[in-house]
Amino acid sequence: MRDRFPLMVVGGLVLTVVLGAFLVKSAQRGEFADTLSTYRAQEDGARALFLLAQESGLPVVRRMSDLRIVTGQFTPVLLAVEVEGAYEQDPDQTQLAAEPDAGLADEDVPRTGFNAFRAAALDDTEHEKLLEHVKAGGTLVYVPWGSRENPLLDALSVKLTKADTTLPMRTLVPPLPTPYTLGVERVEAKVQAYLTLPPGAVPVLEDDRLGQVVAAVVPHGQGRVLVVGAPELAMNRALARADNAQFWLSALAGLGPGPYEFDEFHHGFTNERSVVDFARRYGLHFAVVQLLLGVALWSVSLRRFGRPHPPPESVRVGATDALFAMGRLYREGRHHAFAAGLIAKGLTQEFALHAGLPAHSPAASVAEGLRERGRDDLARGLQAVAAEADTVGSDSDLQQLAANAAGLRQRLHSAGAGRRSTPGTT
């Protein structure tokens, strides 16, 4: 029982670590998703916006495929989706950019975990398909992150001007009554960029103090695009302020009947399922982890702890009887020379390993190798045992040979010659 006590301690520690990991994982529910993803339940996610629209009766879905094929009547909703080819037109605004990982003040979308590798930017083909969809009479909601221009905004003739990140939360008001701000008196959010609009665009929200446009509906062909320069307005933490929630309900309802497809593909979520995803979805990975844990504990349990136990009485008696029987056979059969040869051969094989030679090397070669390593005493002893093995003719001679071989082995290990070195070194 005492030999298994360390194993019980190790098993208890492993169980504690596993349970603690599951507890922390459950406490971090919703943190795996990306910033402004409708799956993210943290403050900077957009889960509340999706559920708000869903509970209000608006037809909302999550899109987990790219936008290379756009068919039917629907309204794509792009929240903090990066566009390939983004650039900063005004170098002075680049100097205002904050350091990375600065949250809303950062020009790059904050990524979570492996989303930095999975989240793809909107490529040229996709944004062209989106523009064709809008031009044919469709609608689009686009909430860019930061203040950099990109091909999608260029096609809409919308320019971004970076807002001062040191300013506090801004109060935004509708500059004129529109269906997009029905029931909205004021909106509170931190602004990342102000909009410079083309002719025909309809301002939806503007800064109450500065008078600069933050959100607008821009016509393109026969369709419309809602551009919002305050991505925080779509975050979970912002919906409880002022009329923020009402603004989204009115804006989505004013754009059209829907359905409204929140893009999750460019946040790292796809509808393609691998074996690993299937296991993760249905909890099979927990079974695999339990199996691996069981195998690990089983392998550890094969090892003993503590002092070695003496063999059982029956084993010791049987081994002694077998040894005496073998010795009697050799004595009665006068096999002294054969037994002496086995002793000398075993000693030569053991010394050959320490001399850096193959185990089948002759005694003379092994002795030469030992001399090269500075062990002349072992070399002389090995040659003496090899020579003595040829002259053994009685039990006493055989016992003397075995005693000499045992003494050489003991001298080898007690002198620290057990470590191996390259031939020719001392």
Side-chain angles (χ1 to χ4, degrees), residues 338-354:
F338 179 74
L342 292 179
I343 295 175
K345 182 178 179 181
L347 182 65
T348 303
Q349 290 177 348
E350 184 174 356
F351 279 15
L353 298 178
H354 297 279

Side-chain angles (χ1 to χ4, degrees), residues 57-306:
L58 295 177
V60 292
V61 293
R62 293 183 174 100
R63 185 184 181 95
M64 298 187 188
S65 58
D66 58 37
L67 294 167
R68 294 176 180 271
I69 300 177
V70 180
T71 58
Q73 293 297 323
F74 68 99
T75 301
V77 181
L78 309 182
L79 303 178
V81 173
E82 295 182 325
V83 180
E84 286 186 358
Y87 62 96
E88 182 60 74
Q89 187 176 20
D90 188 355
D92 294 336
Q93 294 188 34
T94 306
Q95 298 178 0
L96 296 175
E99 296 295 328
D101 299 329
L104 287 170
D106 190 359
E107 285 294 298
D108 296 322
V109 182
R111 300 296 183 188
T112 304
F114 286 101
N115 288 331
F117 305 98
R118 291 198 297 258
L122 197 74
D123 60 25
D124 295 339
T125 303
E126 290 177 304
H127 92 256
E128 290 175 359
K129 292 294 184 180
L130 278 178
L131 293 175
E132 292 176 3
H133 166 74
V134 174
K135 187 179 296 185
T139 53
L140 168 67
V141 177
Y142 179 44
V143 183
W145 186 277
S147 61
R148 290 179 294 192
E149 285 76 14
N150 57 61
L152 181 59
L153 292 174
D154 291 342
L156 299 174
S157 300
V158 175
K159 303 298 180 183
L160 301 182
T161 303
K162 185 175 182 61
D164 189 353
T165 56
T166 61
L167 294 177
M169 188 176 304
R170 312 304 299 167
T171 298
L172 311 177
V173 296
L176 58 127
T178 61
Y180 313 106
T181 56
L182 185 64
V184 177
E185 294 184 2
R186 61 184 179 88
V187 172
E188 295 180 354
K190 294 182 179 179
V191 179
Q192 282 192 350
Y194 295 109
L195 311 181
T196 302
L197 303 176
V202 178
V204 174
L205 293 176
E206 68 176 20
D207 194 306
D208 189 29
R209 295 286 185 88
L210 302 178
Q212 295 184 342
V213 179
V214 177
V217 174
V218 182
H220 185 73
Q222 299 179 5
R224 297 161 293 171
V225 179
L226 173 62
V227 182
V228 181
E232 200 225 7
L233 187 58
M235 291 184 178
N236 298 329
R237 64 190 178 199
L239 289 187
R241 304 188 201 127
D243 298 326
N244 293 11
Q246 183 60 47
F247 164 75
W248 283 110
L249 294 178
S250 300
L252 293 177
L255 285 175
Y260 306 96
E261 293 191 356
F262 286 80
D263 181 21
E264 290 294 340
F265 177 83
H266 296 94
H267 287 293
F269 294 93
T270 65
N271 53 8
E272 298 178 358
R273 291 288 182 180
S274 63
V275 176
V276 176
D277 293 331
F278 180 83
R280 187 189 302 117
R281 179 178 182 181
Y282 293 99
L284 299 182
H285 58 298
F286 295 117
V288 175
V289 170
Q290 291 176 0
L291 177 62
L292 295 178
L293 178 61
V295 172
L297 292 178
W298 173 75
S299 62
V300 173
S301 67
L302 297 180
R303 302 190 60 181
R304 293 189 64 263
F305 298 92

